[in-house]
RNA sequence: UGGGGGAUCGUCUAAUGGCAGGACGCAAGACUCUGACUCUUGCUAUCAAGGUUCGAAUCCUUGUCCCCCAGCCA
């Protein structure tokens, strides 16, 4: 991550060219402009890394600006979560936190100026009528009957709109551009609408709110944005963006020359297989209680990924690796998993946890005696230290590490078979105890004293090594094994008229309420990540109690045995 | 049948007229007190057809396919 070649995507190349040409004195300023109407998801992470990354690379600034122009869907809760998520991802906007609503006064004044310049008019058409006149592809639209209204009349009506004299939706302010344009965004687009809706920041001060295209171009210019980076679907909006900057007296307002105006650039949004990135559907999952909340570990939200234990560094690495281009991106989730494993392999201390316990009694070990075994916290990084794990006569192993009738390639325990206890001795399965139903409930084993670490015996190799936890010294633990929320690579892809929830993976959460963790894990702080040996990477959940650990599986270890089995 | 974009291994991405490279994935093997990690080897690509050129993924022409746009959402 740190020793990689410098990024050189097409946007950075364009910025380089700007700088080479001396444009804006080389100044680079970007912004990340979320609408606070939901939680940020993995797709936003790409945009955050791009915008903040560019500012960093070119010694510029990146603003966090909330695009809060539609109070009908926006909430304070989302503002707070977005700030938290951007910060957690590792980016700092310093003093450059803004809201489009900070500029509402300026935006309003510019609208009056636009009317006075004869470039905007108040329109009395309903949205249905407006749609009717807008026309269809290939056909020019028709001009609104109010388009020729006098400047004075439009100005008076606009002021009355602001004063709250008209009902919601009854009038709009529209730009006067070109109803015959093949680009629908230029067919006299709406600039302001009437909406009696308390706003999270401005309260009830306004009953009219500016539309995105108009407010966004103005906000960028006011802040001094140089490179306004957005996704591909706004490509068609660029002419309107440029029109606003050209026609509005914004250069005078900012006291900057026209060379300083921002330019918009578009890149392809990212999609990841098996993940959903539609805000509408994510909201639906939360509202229908399909998942616990926005930060459910199965959610592709940044909050969900965080709670699942995904390190911010892994997410940043992922965003770096997928690159930035204009062709549609459908990234395989395996790349995300790879980035997570790579980061966690380096940073997560190892521990032993038995998630599906099978009791083992080592009859050659005396009852009541505990042997402390040395266990390094990381197999290749001694700086991470070590801890002691308790070996006792009775212990638990993973039920899946025993088979009554194992195939040849099964390197684990079976009747009469030998296996090494990780960091401990080699044991041999002498007898199998079954219950009335014929189920295996306990194994009675012997141990090879010479194979005990430090015993100085002849080094002996066995093929299998399994993890285990003492039945006497352990911490009870609830394990939540999360899997992908959707079973289909494209969750939204359902036959016409069917619900995308048909693609839900019924096994996306497996809760194991009575797992046993080695005692060293007791009292681990929420957010701590571990590799549970031979199982996967886990994070301590905030639901953890002092006497009851709760852990979430971040991602499993690669499992070539499982792969081998699935071939048959 | 309007406008705006885009097509390079299965996926993502490099190349900026000069050896189509990397990553993920997959396969085989080595190593191993994690069937992990690591390592080795291998796999598969320039949308098509013409043209320009000593030389084309790159330039030109024609075509094909895919995505976005008709909110008082962003």
């Amino acid at each position: 991550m740190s020793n990689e070649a410098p990024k050189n995507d097409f946007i950075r190349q364009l910025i380089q060219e700007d700088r080479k040409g001396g444009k804006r004195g080389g100044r680079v300023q970007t912004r990340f402009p979320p609408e606070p109407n939901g939680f940020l998801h993995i797709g936003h992470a790409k945009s955050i890394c791009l915008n903040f990354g560019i500012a960093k690379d070119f010694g510029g600034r990146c603003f966090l600006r909330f695009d809060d122009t539609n109070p009908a869907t926006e909430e304070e809760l989302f503002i707070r979560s977005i700030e938290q998520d951007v910060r957690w991802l590792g980016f700092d906007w310093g003093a450059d936190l803004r809201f489009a609503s900070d500029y509402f006064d300026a935006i309003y004044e510019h609208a009056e100026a636009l009317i006075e310049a004869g470039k905007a008019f108040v329109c009395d058409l309903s949205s249905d009528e407006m749609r009717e006149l807008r026309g269809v592809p290939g056909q020019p639209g028709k001009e609104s009957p109010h388009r020729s209204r006098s400047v004075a009349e439009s100005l008076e009506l606009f002021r009355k709109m602001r004063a709250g004299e008209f009902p919601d939706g009854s009038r709009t302010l529209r730009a006067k551009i070109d109803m015959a344009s093949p680009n629908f965004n230029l067919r006299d687009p709406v600039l302001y609408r009437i909406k009696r809706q308390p706003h999270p920041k401005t309260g009830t001060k306004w009953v009219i709110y500016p539309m995105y295209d108009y407010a966004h171009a103005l906000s960028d210019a006011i802040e001094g944005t140089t490179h306004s980076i957005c996704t591909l679907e706004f490509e068609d909006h660029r002419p309107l963006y440029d029109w606003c900057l050209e026609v509005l007296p914004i250069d005078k307002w900012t006291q900057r020359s026209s060379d300083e105006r921002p330019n918009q650039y578009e890149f392809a949004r990212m999609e990841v297989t098996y993940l959903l990135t539609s805000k509408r559907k994510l909201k639906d999952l939360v509202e229908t209680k399909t998942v616990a909340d926005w930060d459910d570990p199965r959610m592709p939200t940044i909050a969900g990924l965080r709670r699942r234990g995904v390190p911010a560094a892994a997410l940043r690495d992922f965003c770096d690796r997928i690159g930035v281009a204009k062709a549609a991106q459908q990234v395989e989730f395996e790349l995300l998993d790879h980035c997570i494993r790579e980061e966690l392999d380096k940073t997560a201390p190892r521990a032993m946890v038995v998630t599906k316990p099978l009791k083992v009694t080592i009859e050659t070990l005396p009852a009541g005696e505990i042997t402390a075994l040395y266990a390094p916290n990381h197999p290749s990084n001694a700086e991470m230290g070590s801890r002691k794990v308790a070996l006792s006569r009775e212990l638990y192993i993973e039920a899946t590490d025993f088979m009554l009738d194992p195939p040849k390639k099964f390197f684990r325990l079976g009747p009469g078979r030998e296996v090494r206890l990780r960091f401990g001795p080699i044991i041999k399965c002498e007898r199998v105890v079954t219950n009335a139903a014929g189920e295996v409930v306990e194994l009675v084993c012997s141990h090879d004293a010479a194979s005990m670490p430090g015993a100085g015996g002849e080094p002996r190799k066995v093929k299998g090594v399994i993890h285990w936890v003492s039945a006497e010294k352990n911490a009870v633990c609830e394990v939540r094994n999360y899997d992908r929320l959707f079973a289909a690579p494209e969750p939204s892809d359902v036959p016409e008229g069917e619900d995308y929830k048909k693609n839900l993976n019924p096994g996306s959460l497996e809760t194991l309420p009575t797992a046993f963790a080695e005692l060293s894990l007791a009292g681990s702080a929420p957010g701590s990540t571990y590799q549970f040996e031979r199982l996967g990477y886990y994070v301590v959940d905030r639901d953890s109690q002092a006497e009851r650990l709760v852990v979430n599986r971040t991602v499993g270890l690669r499992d070539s045995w499982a792969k081998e089995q699935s071939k048959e």
Side-chain angles (χ1 to χ4, degrees):
Chain A
M1 252 159 303
S2 48
N3 53 353
E4 269 160 26
K7 292 181 275 292
N8 195 32
D9 51 76
F10 79 96
I11 294 179
R12 271 176 246 250
Q13 289 182 31
L14 289 168
I15 293 175
Q16 284 288 12
E17 280 164 33
D18 282 350
R19 283 156 65 92
K20 225 172 276 170
K23 195 167 178 183
R24 303 190 196 89
R27 195 171 64 87
V28 173
Q29 185 174 314
T30 57
R31 94 272 94 105
F32 173 61
E35 185 192 9
N37 67 347
F39 273 56
L40 258 23
H41 57 64
I42 190 164
H44 294 111
K46 176 182 177 184
S47 175
I48 294 168
C49 290
L50 218 211
N51 279 294
F52 280 94
I54 282 173
K56 194 179 173 201
D57 290 357
F58 293 99
R61 290 155 78 184
C62 179
F63 281 58
L64 172 61
R65 184 179 74 232
F66 288 93
D67 239 328
D68 55 348
T69 56
N70 184 5
T73 59
E74 296 159 7
E75 292 176 32
E76 181 68 32
L77 162 74
F78 298 132
I79 295 174
R80 284 198 306 272
S81 75
I82 289 168
E83 288 184 31
Q84 185 190 3
D85 290 347
V86 175
R87 214 176 281 124
W88 174 80
L89 240 195
F91 298 101
D92 182 10
W93 53 86
D96 298 328
L97 175 68
R98 300 288 188 282
F99 294 82
S101 54
D102 293 342
Y103 313 131
F104 277 178
D105 286 320
I107 291 172
Y108 175 83
E109 282 166 31
H110 278 85
E112 285 205 356
L114 213 49
I115 296 169
E116 278 162 4
K119 307 262 188 204
F121 65 100
V122 170
C123 182
D124 306 351
L125 257 27
S126 70
S127 55
D128 285 345
E129 291 165 329
M130 211 182 284
R131 186 181 312 118
E132 192 65 33
L133 293 188
R134 193 151 31 223
V136 292
Q139 297 279 312
K142 295 188 183 70
E143 293 184 351
S144 162
H146 314 110
R147 195 182 207 261
S148 51
R149 193 118 77 181
S150 72
V151 165
E153 190 185 359
S154 274
L155 202 52
E156 190 193 338
L157 287 169
F158 187 50
R159 287 175 179 161
K160 285 183 172 173
M161 278 170 64
R162 179 193 189 173
E165 295 188 21
F166 306 122
D168 285 13
S170 62
R171 284 188 165 85
T172 56
L173 180 72
R174 291 227 261 163
K176 207 183 278 187
I177 309 182
D178 179 10
M179 287 308 290
S181 172
N183 182 344
F184 279 80
N185 293 300
L186 299 180
R187 316 253 261 220
D188 291 2
V190 172
L191 264 25
Y192 264 94
R193 74 284 215 193
I194 306 171
K195 201 174 274 221
R196 278 173 185 72
Q197 187 74 235
H199 185 285
K201 302 304 281 189
T202 61
T204 54
K205 177 177 175 187
W206 297 90
V207 296
I208 58 171
Y209 292 96
M211 297 289 290
Y212 163 83
D213 291 291
Y214 173 66
H216 200 86
L218 225 33
S219 304
D220 279 347
I222 289 170
E223 279 169 14
T225 301
T226 57
H227 302 266
S228 182
I229 303 166
C230 60
T231 43
L232 248 30
E233 67 270 28
F234 292 102
E235 243 165 345
D236 282 348
H237 296 238
R238 195 183 335 127
L240 179 52
Y241 184 93
D242 292 338
W243 181 90
C244 288
L245 299 180
E246 185 61 41
V247 159
L248 292 165
I250 187 66
D251 297 333
K252 202 173 154 201
W253 199 91
T254 60
Q255 298 193 301
R256 278 190 283 258
S257 90
S258 59
D259 306 332
E260 293 282 325
R261 286 182 199 157
N263 290 114
Q264 178 181 299
Y265 302 91
E266 310 86 11
F267 67 95
R269 53 165 76 238
M270 168 192 62
E271 299 212 344
V272 184
T273 56
Y274 295 96
L275 299 187
L276 213 53
T277 42
S278 140
K279 260 193 194 175
R280 211 206 98 245
K281 291 194 177 92
L282 294 179
K283 203 179 190 101
D284 181 55
L285 289 171
V286 173
E287 284 170 357
T288 57
K289 307 272 189 219
T290 306
V291 295
D293 207 340
W294 285 98
D295 70 347
D296 186 295
R298 292 165 294 183
M299 289 285 271
T301 51
I302 292 180
L305 293 166
R306 174 170 64 233
R307 193 168 177 193
R308 207 180 89 198
V310 175
L315 208 46
R316 273 184 260 124
D317 183 34
F318 176 68
C319 291
D320 286 349
R321 287 193 194 220
I322 59 168
V324 179
K326 294 193 77 161
Q329 257 187 345
Q330 177 82 186
V331 182
E332 290 173 331
F333 83 97
E334 285 92 340
L335 180 61
L336 211 213
D337 278 2
H338 170 82
C339 294
I340 297 169
R341 289 194 185 104
E342 187 174 74
E343 175 66 20
L344 256 13
D345 177 55
K346 270 193 314 205
T347 58
R350 312 291 131 121
M352 292 199 289
V353 173
V354 172
T355 60
K356 295 169 185 173
L358 171 62
K359 193 177 173 191
V360 167
T361 299
I362 302 176
E363 57 182 357
T364 47
L365 239 32
E369 195 177 299
I370 303 284
T371 309
L373 297 171
Y374 167 84
N377 291 332
H378 194 280
S380 57
N381 182 1
E383 284 178 17
M384 289 178 73
S386 64
R387 82 278 182 196
K388 298 274 194 239
V389 290
L391 175 69
S392 55
R393 178 181 163 97
E394 295 191 337
L395 44 89
Y396 297 108
I397 66 165
E398 208 68 60
T400 50
D401 282 339
F402 173 84
M403 280 180 92
L404 257 184
D405 186 20
K408 298 150 294 296
K409 284 168 113 177
F410 186 79
F411 305 142
R412 309 173 189 180
L413 226 38
R417 290 205 183 195
E418 279 188 322
V419 83
R420 183 179 288 278
L421 294 180
R422 178 78 162 147
F423 309 122
I426 293 170
I427 60 168
K428 183 177 184 182
C429 176
E430 303 288 354
R431 292 190 304 286
V432 178
V433 182
T434 51
N435 63 12
E439 296 158 342
V440 177
V441 292
E442 185 185 344
L443 306 178
V444 178
C445 300
S446 61
H447 83 291
D448 172 8
S451 70
M452 190 72 95
E458 192 72 8
R460 199 153 73 84
K461 279 187 193 295
V462 285
K463 188 75 180 168
V465 179
I466 64 172
H467 63 279
W468 54 278
V469 168
S470 163
E472 287 152 55
K473 296 254 182 204
N474 61 51
V476 179
C477 172
E478 175 177 320
V479 172
R480 297 174 182 170
N481 281 336
Y482 291 102
D483 198 353
R484 58 182 74 146
L485 222 207
F486 290 93
E490 286 186 65
S492 302
D493 185 22
V494 282
E496 193 59 38
E498 278 183 32
D499 188 4
Y500 73 97
K501 292 205 194 68
K502 290 205 167 176
N503 284 328
L504 248 12
N505 171 14
S508 63
L509 170 58
E510 175 192 40
T511 303
L512 303 165
T514 39
F516 296 100
E518 61 172 77
L519 200 52
S520 71
L521 250 39
S524 282
S528 312
T529 58
Y530 295 95
Q531 186 203 94
F532 293 170
E533 298 231 11
R534 303 209 309 131
L535 295 176
Y537 296 97
Y538 286 80
V539 65
V540 179
D541 191 77
R542 62 156 187 256
D543 287 347
S544 270
Q545 309 282 315
E547 69 286 0
R548 183 184 179 77
L549 206 58
V550 177
V551 295
N552 302 328
R553 180 168 68 193
T554 307
V555 64
L557 252 28
R558 290 184 61 146
D559 189 348
S560 55
W561 166 240
K563 196 176 279 182
E564 182 76 27
Q565 280 177 305
S566 66
K567 283 179 192 168
E568 281 138 31

